[in-house]
Amino acid sequence: VPDKTTFLQALSGKGAEILNKPKEYMQIILEDEVAMTFAGTSDPTFCVNIFSRNSFSNLSKNTEMSQEFSKFIEETLCIPPNRGYFFLKDPGEHRCGWNNKTFP
Protein backbone atom coordinates (compact mmCIF):
# COMPACT_ATOMS: atom_id res chain seq x y z
CA VAL A 1 0.00 0.00 0.00
CA PRO A 2 1.87 3.09 -1.19
CA ASP A 3 0.05 5.71 0.92
CA LYS A 4 -1.18 3.93 4.03
CA THR A 5 -2.88 6.96 5.64
CA THR A 6 -4.93 7.75 2.53
CA PHE A 7 -5.83 4.09 2.05
CA LEU A 8 -6.91 3.65 5.68
CA GLN A 9 -9.03 6.80 5.62
CA ALA A 10 -10.67 5.75 2.35
CA LEU A 11 -11.34 2.22 3.62
CA SER A 12 -12.76 3.59 6.86
CA GLY A 13 -15.25 5.69 4.92
CA LYS A 14 -16.11 2.88 2.50
CA GLY A 15 -16.51 0.39 5.36
CA ALA A 16 -18.89 2.73 7.18
CA GLU A 17 -20.89 3.18 3.99
CA ILE A 18 -21.06 -0.54 3.15
CA LEU A 19 -21.85 -1.65 6.71
CA ASN A 20 -24.22 1.28 7.31
CA LYS A 21 -22.38 2.17 10.52
CA PRO A 22 -21.04 5.52 11.74
CA LYS A 23 -17.47 6.22 10.65
CA GLU A 24 -16.67 6.83 14.32
CA TYR A 25 -17.12 3.08 14.91
CA MET A 26 -14.64 2.03 12.21
CA GLN A 27 -11.28 0.59 13.22
CA ILE A 28 -8.98 -0.54 10.44
CA ILE A 29 -5.85 -2.60 11.00
CA LEU A 30 -3.52 -2.89 8.02
CA GLU A 31 -0.84 -5.55 7.96
CA ASP A 32 1.06 -4.59 4.85
CA GLU A 33 3.97 -6.45 3.27
CA VAL A 34 3.09 -9.78 4.91
CA ALA A 35 4.42 -12.82 3.06
CA MET A 36 1.33 -14.52 1.61
CA THR A 37 0.41 -16.90 -1.15
CA PHE A 38 -2.97 -17.53 -2.73
CA ALA A 39 -3.86 -20.25 -5.23
CA GLY A 40 -0.24 -21.37 -5.27
CA THR A 41 1.30 -18.04 -6.31
CA SER A 42 2.80 -15.06 -4.54
CA ASP A 43 1.02 -12.58 -6.83
CA PRO A 44 -0.63 -9.74 -4.87
CA THR A 45 -3.36 -11.09 -2.60
CA PHE A 46 -5.51 -9.98 0.33
CA CYS A 47 -7.18 -11.39 3.40
CA VAL A 48 -9.81 -9.16 4.99
CA ASN A 49 -11.50 -9.90 8.31
CA ILE A 50 -14.58 -7.76 8.91
CA PHE A 51 -16.09 -7.80 12.38
CA SER A 52 -19.44 -6.10 12.84
CA ARG A 53 -22.33 -6.58 15.22
CA ASN A 54 -25.69 -7.43 13.64
CA SER A 55 -24.55 -6.97 10.04
CA PHE A 56 -24.27 -10.39 8.42
CA SER A 57 -27.58 -12.22 8.82
CA ASN A 58 -28.72 -11.77 5.20
CA LEU A 59 -26.87 -13.95 2.67
CA SER A 60 -27.71 -11.80 -0.38
CA LYS A 61 -26.66 -8.66 1.51
CA ASN A 62 -23.40 -10.41 2.49
CA THR A 63 -22.73 -11.11 -1.19
CA GLU A 64 -23.42 -7.48 -2.04
CA MET A 65 -21.08 -6.25 0.73
CA SER A 66 -18.34 -8.64 -0.42
CA GLN A 67 -18.70 -7.32 -3.97
CA GLU A 68 -18.47 -3.71 -2.77
CA PHE A 69 -15.36 -4.40 -0.67
CA SER A 70 -13.85 -6.35 -3.61
CA LYS A 71 -14.45 -3.41 -5.93
CA PHE A 72 -12.74 -1.07 -3.46
CA ILE A 73 -9.69 -3.37 -3.15
CA GLU A 74 -9.45 -3.73 -6.92
CA GLU A 75 -9.80 0.01 -7.57
CA THR A 76 -7.38 1.14 -4.86
CA LEU A 77 -4.78 -1.65 -4.84
CA CYS A 78 -5.26 -3.21 -8.31
CA ILE A 79 -5.78 -6.65 -6.77
CA PRO A 80 -8.53 -8.62 -8.55
CA PRO A 81 -11.39 -10.04 -6.45
CA ASN A 82 -10.34 -13.62 -7.18
CA ARG A 83 -7.04 -13.09 -5.29
CA GLY A 84 -8.29 -13.21 -1.72
CA TYR A 85 -11.02 -13.72 0.83
CA PHE A 86 -13.34 -11.61 2.93
CA PHE A 87 -14.39 -13.13 6.24
CA LEU A 88 -17.58 -11.61 7.63
CA LYS A 89 -17.80 -12.17 11.36
CA ASP A 90 -20.40 -11.16 13.93
CA PRO A 91 -18.73 -11.50 17.33
CA GLY A 92 -22.05 -11.25 19.17
CA GLU A 93 -23.03 -8.55 21.60
CA HIS A 94 -21.75 -10.37 24.70
CA ARG A 95 -18.23 -10.50 23.22
CA CYS A 96 -17.95 -6.79 22.36
CA GLY A 97 -16.71 -4.04 24.61
CA TRP A 98 -16.43 -0.33 23.96
CA ASN A 99 -16.02 2.75 26.09
CA ASN A 100 -15.63 0.79 29.37
CA LYS A 101 -18.73 -1.34 28.87
CA THR A 102 -20.08 -4.34 27.03
CA PHE A 103 -23.28 -4.39 25.07
CA PRO A 104 -26.48 -5.83 26.55
Side-chain angles (χ1 to χ4, degrees):
V1 177
D3 183 347
K4 292 172 181 41
T5 300
T6 300
F7 175 77
L8 290 170
Q9 290 173 345
L11 182 54
S12 182
K14 181 53 81 172
E17 175 188 318
I18 293 170
L19 295 169
N20 195 30
K21 304 277 184 178
K23 190 173 181 180
E24 292 76 22
Y25 290 1
M26 295 294 111
Q27 179 182 38
I28 312 293
I29 299 169
L30 173 64
E31 295 183 55
D32 194 19
E33 300 180 25
V34 173
M36 291 176 59
T37 64
F38 185 85
T41 77
S42 58
D43 294 343
T45 185
F46 61 88
C47 179
V48 178
N49 289 290
I50 303 169
F51 294 87
S52 182
R53 291 176 46 244
N54 306 318
S55 296
F56 307 125
S57 61
N58 181 311
L59 183 58
S60 62
K61 181 69 176 166
N62 292 353
T63 298
E64 181 182 314
M65 286 189 285
S66 179
Q67 290 169 344
E68 291 182 53
F69 278 115
S70 292
K71 182 178 177 184
F72 176 84
I73 295 294
E74 186 167 29
E75 289 175 351
T76 58
L77 301 178
C78 299
I79 302 175
N82 67 339
R83 290 293 305 155
Y85 288 110
F86 293 94
F87 296 98
L88 311 176
K89 303 175 183 182
D90 184 340
E93 292 183 354
H94 63 286
R95 288 182 294 242
C96 292
W98 176 77
N99 198 21
N100 296 317
K101 62 183 175 185
T102 56
F103 297 92

